Amino acid sequence: MTERNTVDTALPASAETKTLKVALLGAGNVGAQVARILLEDADALAARTGARLELTGIAVRNIDAPRDVELPRGLLTTDASALVRGADVVIELMGGLEPARSLILEAIEHGATVVTGNKALLAVDGPSLYEKADAAGVQLSYEAAVAGAIPILRPIRDSLAGDKITRVMGIVNGTTNFILDQMDTTGASFEDALAEATRLGYAEADPTADIEGHDAAAKGAILASLSFHTRFALEDVHCQGITQVTAADIAAAKDAGFVIKLLAIAEKLDLPARADSEEARAGGAGAASGVSVRVHPTLLPREHPLAAVHGAFNAVFIEAESAGQLMFYGQGAGGIPTASAVLGDVVSAARRLVLGGPGRTETTTGVLPVLGIENVTTQYYIGLDAADQPGVLAKISALFAENGVSIETMRQTVHRERDAHDGGAPGSAELRIVTHRASEAALAATVQAINGLDIINSVTSVLRVEGV
């Protein structure tokens, strides 16, 4: 576990006379807390940065709207553009694509440093924003866009800059982690766990972005871009939410020693080139490298560090060639925790403005192609509802073998409740299969073939297994 610490060393007192004008766009849950800290901790922040951070205004849609934090009315304005044009540092916490995108571009054009927590915008339009910031020589920082208070982006960008990251797995959405944790620890259904998350304020009135995986996918694109020095957008991420995860899946996973988590996974894959490729004809190694970025429900062994992340907490697990395995854990949402991440970026950016030097956002040293999920090799969990009759297991095992998928474990539970209703007809058998590592393509072909068997009532679930 790591803790955020924005205080490194104070800058020389002689530099503290400089004043930096700060414009804040948005005064919602996070923005209001950022404004409060800028006003209440002005002296401490000046000591850390070597300059006074003067909050010149807060752009809001409605000046009279109720807010959890009482803010000076004289700082509130609806003219965000005018505020941006007079700022040295612009903090964008409005969310959404527009007008956030236009205001960030306007800030960059006017030479302002930008700090944002807008994961949706960065996932959709991040590459073009990074390029604009690079061309203008200004800094674009976005620590708060991923995992709330957890310091993860700067450690990837700076602390691991001399290493090679091979894989990132993250629980980066607190709502879905709370729901799955409730299902695991209390036996609740998905619907009941979602209702509890809504009651406690973890889920929005419309939870679609969370439960369908879109929020985690946006964060996965950002993590992948920094980890592999290649720019990935939201469209590059395979995305599957948790709405199809049932209480039966949770119970079966628990029985097998697993827990189900929604993970954002980015990993570098080395694929053998086709036999007719140039590399193969030239006698070379013929391996093609690329990056797979995906979000989906995942079975993890209960001894894996990510399996112990409960409630609405987030965690990111990194594997690197030299550093080995690292995990960052903490609160993934909330106004005050996320404000901590925002202020960390503000202090870092302000120091750069005091000391001079070009802005820095990310390092893009190469372009690794995006590999579709069909190139991924992992283990799988398959749930089947099959007829309870002789030869069923043999037929299923044969189909797995024909498609190159090896079975590691198979559990069978027979349900005979049908017998009385069906006039003595055979009951059903619930099969839970965990495979050895196999390609996504081989698994898909296997499931398609199984669906065609007359002894199969339904394929109840197909989930990936990681961390084994």
Side-chain angles (χ1 to χ4, degrees), residues 68-92:
D68 294 335
V69 176
E70 187 175 346
L71 301 173
R73 187 176 179 86
L75 288 177
L76 302 179
T77 178
T78 57
D79 192 348
S81 182
L83 196 60
V84 163
R85 290 194 298 270
D88 300 302
V89 179
V90 173
I91 305 172
E92 185 277 306

Side-chain angles (χ1 to χ4, degrees), residues 234-284:
L234 183 60
E235 63 190 23
D236 298 322
V237 184
H238 171 87
C239 182
Q240 178 186 347
I242 65 169
T243 56
Q244 301 304 310
V245 177
T246 66
D249 290 331
I250 297 285
K254 180 182 289 190
D255 184 54
F258 293 97
V259 63
I260 298 178
K261 298 289 188 183
L262 182 72
L263 295 186
I265 303 172
E267 62 181 331
K268 184 179 179 183
L269 303 176
D270 293 321
L271 305 177
R274 300 192 314 271
D276 61 348
S277 68
E278 270 187 45
E279 293 89 345
R281 287 195 296 270

Side-chain angles (χ1 to χ4, degrees), residues 181-423:
D181 189 47
Q182 283 285 295
M183 294 174 71
D184 180 68
T185 57
T186 71
S189 67
F190 171 82
E191 292 76 15
D192 288 344
L194 173 58
E196 180 67 3
T198 303
R199 185 184 72 80
L200 294 174
Y202 295 134
E204 301 287 345
D206 179 1
T208 302
D210 294 323
I211 63 176
E212 294 294 351
H214 305 318
D215 176 81
K219 295 169 182 175
I222 296 169
L223 284 170
S225 297
L226 279 176
S227 299
F228 299 102
H229 310 288
T230 299
R231 290 169 177 167
F232 297 95
L234 183 60
E235 63 190 23
D236 298 322
V237 184
H238 171 87
C239 182
Q240 178 186 347
I242 65 169
T243 56
Q244 301 304 310
V245 177
T246 66
D249 290 331
I250 297 285
K254 180 182 289 190
D255 184 54
F258 293 97
V259 63
I260 298 178
K261 298 289 188 183
L262 182 72
L263 295 186
I265 303 172
E267 62 181 331
K268 184 179 179 183
L269 303 176
D270 293 321
L271 305 177
R274 300 192 314 271
D276 61 348
S277 68
E278 270 187 45
E279 293 89 345
R281 287 195 296 270
S289 293
V291 174
S292 163
V293 191
R294 49 198 166 99
V295 168
H296 50 68
T298 309
L299 272 74
L300 284 171
R302 289 195 173 261
E303 59 271 17
H304 193 282
L306 288 175
V309 179
H310 298 292
F313 278 75
N314 283 193
V316 179
F317 189 81
I318 295 176
E319 298 176 22
E321 287 187 3
S322 299
Q325 296 180 338
L326 307 167
M327 188 163 113
F328 300 78
Y329 167 87
Q331 295 190 62
I336 296 175
T338 306
S340 170
V342 173
L343 268 297
D345 276 345
V346 171
V347 167
S348 176
R351 285 182 162 191
R352 182 194 65 81
L353 292 174
V354 170
L355 296 174
R360 182 182 180 192
T361 54
E362 58 170 11
T363 55
T364 306
T365 57
V367 178
L368 289 170
V370 178
L371 297 178
I373 196 167
E374 67 276 5
N375 295 291
V376 170
T377 299
T378 189
Q379 292 184 256
Y380 298 88
Y381 160 89
I382 302 101
L384 303 174
D385 183 355
D388 178 28
Q389 62 187 54
V392 168
L393 297 183
K395 290 180 180 179
I396 291 172
S397 298
L399 272 184
F400 273 82
E402 287 173 15
N403 288 280
V405 180
S406 175
I407 295 175
E408 182 177 275
T409 63
M410 180 185 294
R411 300 185 181 213
Q412 175 178 311
T413 303
V414 177
H415 301 286
R416 301 194 180 279
E417 292 82 355
R418 290 186 182 180
D419 293 355
H421 301 289
D422 296 340

